[in-house]
Amino acid sequence: GKPLLNRLELILDEQGTMSWFSTNKLPLFGKNGKVIGLMGTTRNLGKAEGLSQFPPKISNALEYISENYKSPISIESLAAISHLSVSQFRRNFKKVFKMSPLQFILKLRIQATCNLLRSSDDSIWEVAEECGFNDQSYFSKQFRQHIGISPGDYRKSYG
């Protein structure tokens, strides 16, 4: 029920390139005062090459994530790359992105699966595996939670 303003998001395009977007999301309220919808705007800020705009400790981790999101990534390894303790890394990352590093990685993986579901004929499980998911049940649950429909329905609608 609260607006999200000027949220910085890193989104994977169909070519697998990450770009920065600034988004605003505002709730729409019905006559009864309950949220009945969402309105938003998104502004493309360009390719993610400019990671230098972030503190070096965060930009090193972002670069690693962008190159390795399809593989298992531990918070401990990201913290080590960033020369921070695990708790310091989590705190700094969340301050910049308003989400945990694991949520961020999951979001990138879901975006990548969406791109492949639209553009490839690979099975849904092959797509999920290609994008870093090792458990089909977990993938389906996360996909539905983030996108709102099953991977199969997504492919039927947008593929």
Side-chain angles (χ1 to χ4, degrees):
K2 296 180 182 176
L4 294 173
L5 302 175
N6 297 315
R7 184 174 182 167
L8 185 64
E9 295 183 345
L10 191 58
I11 298 178
L12 203 63
D13 67 20
E14 291 181 11
Q15 289 75 38
T17 305
M18 290 197 292
S19 295
W20 294 108
F21 290 83
S22 174
T23 64
N24 294 305
K25 297 173 185 175
L26 304 163
L28 300 174
F29 297 97
K31 291 179 183 177
N32 62 1
K34 295 191 181 220
V35 176
I36 60 169
L38 184 70
M39 177 189 82
T41 60
T42 303
R43 185 171 53 120
N44 188 336
L45 301 175
K47 301 287 181 218
E49 294 134 8
L51 296 177
S52 60
Q53 64 190 340
F54 295 101
K57 293 177 179 186
I58 295 295
S59 63
N60 292 342
L62 285 175
E63 189 173 323
Y64 183 85
I65 291 168
S66 71
E67 294 170 359
N68 298 285
Y69 70 90
K70 295 178 181 183
S71 303
I73 300 174
S74 71
I75 298 303
E76 292 78 12
S77 65
L78 294 174
I81 290 165
S82 302
H83 305 291
L84 295 168
S85 71
V86 170
S87 60
Q88 288 173 318
F89 176 74
R90 280 191 177 124
R91 192 172 38 256
N92 283 310
F93 195 95
K94 194 162 189 165
K95 187 176 182 180
V96 172
F97 291 101
K98 311 294 189 255
M99 67 179 78
S100 75
L102 292 179
Q103 290 170 321
F104 184 86
I105 294 165
L106 178 60
K107 184 177 176 182
L108 284 181
R109 288 177 177 162
I110 295 289
Q111 289 172 11
T113 60
C114 287
N115 292 343
L116 283 176
L117 287 171
R118 286 193 308 268
S119 64
S120 86
D121 293 328
D122 293 345
S123 73
I124 291 172
W125 176 236
E126 288 171 325
V127 166
E129 210 170 30
E130 165 70 20
C131 296
F133 291 96
N134 298 319
D135 179 292
Q136 190 168 3
S137 173
Y138 175 76
F139 164 68
S140 295
K141 179 182 175 187
Q142 291 302 316
F143 192 93
R144 185 179 296 276
Q145 189 174 345
H146 283 82
I147 305 301
I149 57 176
S150 72
D153 288 343
Y154 182 88
R155 177 173 263 170
K156 286 176 195 166
S157 297
Y158 303 104

